[in-house]
Amino acid sequence: MSSLYTRSKEFTRNRKSQSDSPPASPSPTAKTLRHERLSRLESGGSNPTTSDSYGDRASARARREAREARLATLTGRVEEDSNRDYKKLYESALTENQKLKTKLQEAQLELADIKSKLEKVTQQKQEKTSDRSSVLEMEKRERRALERKMSEMEEEMKVLTELKSDNQRLKDENGALIRVISKLSK
């Protein structure tokens, strides 16, 4: 029976030590509290009185509350700062987006303007080339017509020179006949 008693006693001690054990990463204040408890248990084996443990608990509670209050104010400040920073970042990003949008719209308008100018220029070039081609065709037609007229006139001139020579020959013959007739009639 004594063996059972010791086992149950050790079991309860183990349970207490597990429940009293700090979390996986204890804070510095929890380490000091545990160290104080261990030093009290090891020194002399005297049990602390209920008033001492109550005072320790109260002071530990007060320290914990103070620490929590400090952490709350720090996190509150950090959150306010981060919220302000996020707000500033959001506002700056928003203004930058607006600037970029206006630049984009201006660029698009400029692009549309340039496209319309380019289309006008290409149309003018096409008109000029079509005008030039039509003018060239007209000039070619006129040139052909003039060449035809020149060739006709050259032929007419040849005919005229022939007619002149024929006319001169006929005049000469006529004059000779008139002389012959006048001699015969005398």
Side-chain angles (χ1 to χ4, degrees), residues 127-139 141:
E127 288 173 1
K128 284 182 181 178
T129 55
S130 65
D131 289 344
R132 284 182 185 170
S133 63
S134 64
V135 167
L136 288 174
E137 287 178 22
M138 289 177 63
E139 286 178 357
R141 288 178 191 159

Side-chain angles (χ1 to χ4, degrees), residues 14-27:
N14 286 340
R15 272 205 167 166
K16 282 184 183 176
S17 66
Q18 286 177 354
S19 64
D20 290 341
S21 67
S25 60
S27 64

